[in-house]
PDB file of all heavy atoms in Angstrom:
ATOM      1  N   GLY A  60      11.733  -8.663   3.019  1.00  0.00           N
ATOM      2  CA  GLY A  60      10.669  -8.435   3.988  1.00  0.00           C
ATOM      3  C   GLY A  60       9.394  -7.939   3.329  1.00  0.00           C
ATOM      4  O   GLY A  60       9.434  -7.160   2.382  1.00  0.00           O
ATOM      5  N   ILE A  61       8.275  -8.413   3.830  1.00  0.00           N
ATOM      6  CA  ILE A  61       6.955  -8.004   3.339  1.00  0.00           C
ATOM      7  C   ILE A  61       6.127  -7.588   4.548  1.00  0.00           C
ATOM      8  O   ILE A  61       6.082  -8.301   5.545  1.00  0.00           O
ATOM      9  CB  ILE A  61       6.255  -9.151   2.583  1.00  0.00           C
ATOM     10  CG1 ILE A  61       7.051  -9.515   1.335  1.00  0.00           C
ATOM     11  CG2 ILE A  61       4.830  -8.770   2.231  1.00  0.00           C
ATOM     12  CD1 ILE A  61       6.506 -10.693   0.571  1.00  0.00           C
ATOM     13  N   ALA A  93      -5.146   4.064  14.347  1.00  0.00           N
ATOM     14  CA  ALA A  93      -5.165   5.489  14.707  1.00  0.00           C
ATOM     15  C   ALA A  93      -3.908   6.194  14.224  1.00  0.00           C
ATOM     16  O   ALA A  93      -3.423   7.125  14.848  1.00  0.00           O
ATOM     17  CB  ALA A  93      -5.363   5.665  16.212  1.00  0.00           C
ATOM     18  N   ASP A 105     -11.342  -3.935   5.482  1.00  0.00           N
ATOM     19  CA  ASP A 105     -12.644  -3.336   5.814  1.00  0.00           C
ATOM     20  C   ASP A 105     -13.018  -2.257   4.803  1.00  0.00           C
ATOM     21  O   ASP A 105     -14.172  -2.163   4.378  1.00  0.00           O
ATOM     22  CB  ASP A 105     -12.623  -2.729   7.224  1.00  0.00           C
ATOM     23  CG  ASP A 105     -12.595  -3.772   8.325  1.00  0.00           C
ATOM     24  OD1 ASP A 105     -12.887  -4.954   8.038  1.00  0.00           O
ATOM     25  OD2 ASP A 105     -12.262  -3.399   9.474  1.00  0.00           O
ATOM     26  N   VAL A 114      -7.257  -1.684  -7.528  1.00  0.00           N
ATOM     27  CA  VAL A 114      -6.560  -1.917  -8.794  1.00  0.00           C
ATOM     28  C   VAL A 114      -5.263  -2.636  -8.461  1.00  0.00           C
ATOM     29  O   VAL A 114      -4.559  -2.239  -7.531  1.00  0.00           O
ATOM     30  CB  VAL A 114      -6.245  -0.584  -9.522  1.00  0.00           C
ATOM     31  CG1 VAL A 114      -5.413  -0.823 -10.761  1.00  0.00           C
ATOM     32  CG2 VAL A 114      -7.523   0.159  -9.854  1.00  0.00           C
ATOM     33  N   GLU A 138     -22.593  17.921   7.128  1.00  0.00           N
ATOM     34  CA  GLU A 138     -23.560  17.210   6.295  1.00  0.00           C
ATOM     35  C   GLU A 138     -22.840  16.220   5.395  1.00  0.00           C
ATOM     36  O   GLU A 138     -21.697  16.408   5.026  1.00  0.00           O
ATOM     37  CB  GLU A 138     -24.329  18.198   5.416  1.00  0.00           C
ATOM     38  CG  GLU A 138     -25.263  19.091   6.180  1.00  0.00           C
ATOM     39  CD  GLU A 138     -26.049  19.982   5.246  1.00  0.00           C
ATOM     40  OE1 GLU A 138     -26.297  19.586   4.098  1.00  0.00           O
ATOM     41  OE2 GLU A 138     -26.403  21.085   5.670  1.00  0.00           O
ATOM     42  N   TYR A 165       8.955 -13.650  -7.558  1.00  0.00           N
ATOM     43  CA  TYR A 165      10.118 -12.813  -7.830  1.00  0.00           C
ATOM     44  C   TYR A 165      11.297 -13.237  -6.953  1.00  0.00           C
ATOM     45  O   TYR A 165      12.418 -13.420  -7.435  1.00  0.00           O
ATOM     46  CB  TYR A 165       9.769 -11.344  -7.591  1.00  0.00           C
ATOM     47  CG  TYR A 165      10.939 -10.412  -7.763  1.00  0.00           C
ATOM     48  CD1 TYR A 165      11.306  -9.946  -9.020  1.00  0.00           C
ATOM     49  CD2 TYR A 165      11.689 -10.002  -6.669  1.00  0.00           C
ATOM     50  CE1 TYR A 165      12.383  -9.095  -9.185  1.00  0.00           C
ATOM     51  CE2 TYR A 165      12.760  -9.153  -6.822  1.00  0.00           C
ATOM     52  CZ  TYR A 165      13.109  -8.703  -8.083  1.00  0.00           C
ATOM     53  OH  TYR A 165      14.184  -7.872  -8.238  1.00  0.00           O
ATOM     54  N   ALA A 166      11.046 -13.378  -5.642  1.00  0.00           N
ATOM     55  CA  ALA A 166      12.106 -13.779  -4.711  1.00  0.00           C
ATOM     56  C   ALA A 166      12.692 -15.129  -5.115  1.00  0.00           C
ATOM     57  O   ALA A 166      13.915 -15.312  -5.107  1.00  0.00           O
ATOM     58  CB  ALA A 166      11.565 -13.828  -3.282  1.00  0.00           C
TER      59      ALA A 166
END
Side-chain angles (χ1 to χ4, degrees):
I61 296 176
D105 289 344
V114 175
E138 291 183 29
Y165 176 84

